[in-house]
Amino acid sequence: MSTLKPEINSRDHIQGDDSASVTIVEFGDYQCPYCGNAYPIMKEIEETFGHQIRFIFRHFPLANAHEFAFPAAIAAEAAGLQDKFWEMHDALFENQYRLNGELFDELAETIGLDLEQFQQDCTSEEIKSKIENDFDSGVRSGVNGTPSFYVNGTKFDGGATDLYQMLKESAE
Amino acid sequence: MLEKGAIAPDFELNATPDQKIKLKDFKGKNVILAFYPADWSPVCSDQMALYNEMLKYFNKYDAQIFGVSVDSVWCHLAFEENRKLHFPLLADFEPKGAVSKAYGVYDEELGESKRALFVIDKEGKIAWSYLSPIAVNPGADGILEALEELDKK
């Protein structure tokens, strides 16, 4: 059974309560259509189960297959430096259908980032290595495609819909 | 299926219509063989896409990866081009499945290779092997662990 390596840490983007009983980690790619489909379901999971859920997103860009996957991950991290990682994360998935190289600045403005700072941060080596570290974590945790989910540190064998179903059943 | 410690059977397979790959030419390098059932089928494609992203990891461990299936070179070429794969796919095409059989990973019923991974060390010995359920993409964590283990030696 594959487990999450390394465990959740201070470099992670975390949504929800630390006291939550279920921690979900998604390894995702902003250009991957399956991740795009999983996005609204993850939102629904967070809404339905509220405080019980803690959600973490790690980057797993398939850069050869998806030309905008890595730049999109950079945009999310750069927004993160202005404390708006999740705003950019949401905006990227909500606009996945029109993802291109010009979209990032537009989204940065929409979510209210300091554009100049954002553009500068997008060239940061530190952000690049953060994304590579996420990818590394995915490889070592046994990610075999995107999205891959981990529930309380163990690889979940299924997609977002299966995850929702599993949580619903265990809540009953 | 051949296991750790066995000598990896030598082979000579086409990577392109006019390029043959001989295993013994890779002595001194680690080799990863990823046998898979068929080009184009969904699980295989994800699996190859994942390895494609990992070439710099394999490089770091001085390892060369080859995909192997019973598809022909022409099919492999189209598949590589479509998926922008940057590593060779070998055609275990004629006699069909001979290399897959030598490694003990041929599915007689389907007439395809099973989904199996081998890490071969620099001396040509199998250092690690893994047979995955046909519908499950085995990921790459096992390969990396095996390469790390070799690196420690």
Side-chain angles (χ1 to χ4, degrees):
Chain A
M1 192 57 106
S2 299
T3 56
L4 186 70
K5 294 171 205 127
E7 288 175 14
I8 315 263
N9 58 66
S10 60
R11 289 169 65 84
D12 278 314
H13 299 288
I14 304 174
Q15 236 174 11
D17 292 353
D18 281 348
S19 59
S21 56
V22 180
T23 297
I24 300 169
V25 177
E26 175 183 352
F27 283 90
D29 167 326
Y30 291 116
Q31 201 180 344
C32 159
Y34 303 100
C35 298
N37 293 342
Y39 166 75
I41 302 167
M42 293 314 295
K43 284 275 170 223
E44 208 176 322
I45 287 176
E46 288 184 271
E47 273 160 33
T48 310
F49 301 98
H51 297 297
Q52 293 163 272
I53 300 285
R54 189 163 69 132
F55 179 54
I56 287 99
F57 186 86
R58 287 185 183 170
H59 303 288
F60 202 79
L62 296 172
N64 283 291
H66 301 140
E67 60 177 316
F68 299 116
F70 206 92
I74 287 178
E77 287 298 326
L81 292 180
Q82 297 184 42
D83 292 325
K84 292 205 166 170
F85 174 83
W86 291 105
E87 285 83 347
M88 184 59 91
H89 170 92
D90 292 358
L92 285 166
F93 277 134
E94 283 161 18
N95 292 279
Q96 191 189 52
Y97 68 96
R98 60 188 190 101
L99 193 59
N100 68 53
E102 274 101 67
L103 183 67
F104 307 124
D105 284 358
E106 182 198 319
L107 295 181
E109 287 200 308
T110 311
I111 63 172
L113 297 181
D114 173 340
L115 191 61
E116 211 170 305
Q117 186 64 45
F118 172 76
Q119 287 169 337
Q120 197 187 321
D121 290 337
C122 281
T123 62
S124 140
E125 280 300 312
E126 208 165 309
I127 283 183
K128 204 173 146 229
S129 85
K130 157 87 169 76
I131 296 163
E132 285 167 354
N133 284 342
D134 276 6
F135 186 85
D136 195 76
S137 144
V139 165
R140 284 168 204 285
S141 305
V143 166
N144 52 4
T146 52
S148 281
F149 296 101
Y150 291 75
V151 177
N152 292 340
T154 302
K155 191 164 192 304
F156 179 72
D157 188 18
T161 316
D162 306 310
L163 189 57
Y164 185 72
Q165 201 58 37
M166 186 274 285
L167 291 168
K168 227 170 89 182
E169 279 164 18
S170 54
E172 272 162 11
Chain B
M1 176 183 191
L2 295 182
E3 309 231 330
K4 181 176 175 166
I7 304 287
D10 196 26
F11 58 76
E12 186 172 344
L13 290 176
N14 278 79
T16 67
D18 43 33
Q19 189 203 2
K20 279 188 190 291
I21 299 283
K22 284 186 208 148
L23 180 65
K24 64 170 190 256
D25 290 347
F26 288 83
K27 280 253 168 80
K29 215 171 161 55
N30 296 310
V31 171
I32 304 155
L33 296 180
F35 290 88
Y36 63 99
D39 291 345
W40 307 106
S41 77
V43 178
C44 309
S45 314
D46 280 340
Q47 193 185 349
M48 295 306 133
L50 175 64
Y51 300 153
N52 206 27
E53 301 295 333
M54 292 194 52
L55 299 179
K56 69 175 174 202
Y57 282 79
F58 299 152
N59 234 344
K60 192 179 131 200
Y61 291 105
D62 199 14
Q64 171 67 49
I65 184 163
F66 298 106
V68 188
S69 78
V70 297
D71 295 285
S72 78
V73 277
W74 302 105
C75 187
H76 276 338
L77 275 185
F79 184 57
E80 281 164 11
E81 204 173 288
N82 183 273
R83 301 295 154 94
K84 303 188 191 82
L85 299 181
H86 302 297
F87 60 93
L89 301 179
L90 307 180
D92 194 9
F93 183 70
E94 180 59 40
K96 190 183 175 198
V99 174
S100 307
K101 283 174 195 162
Y103 280 78
V105 292
Y106 189 70
D107 188 320
E108 300 279 353
E109 208 167 306
L110 293 172
E112 294 174 341
S113 305
K114 294 178 185 174
R115 198 179 298 285
L117 299 171
F118 292 88
V119 172
I120 299 168
D121 71 14
K122 295 180 178 181
E123 280 85 53
K125 256 201 212 150
I126 292 170
W128 177 80
S129 63
Y130 177 76
L131 181 68
S132 181
I134 208 93
V136 179
N137 172 351
D141 48 330
I143 297 177
L144 275 193
E145 278 164 27
L147 290 173
E148 270 170 2
E149 200 58 38
L150 284 175
D151 209 36
K152 278 187 214 151
K153 280 185 186 168

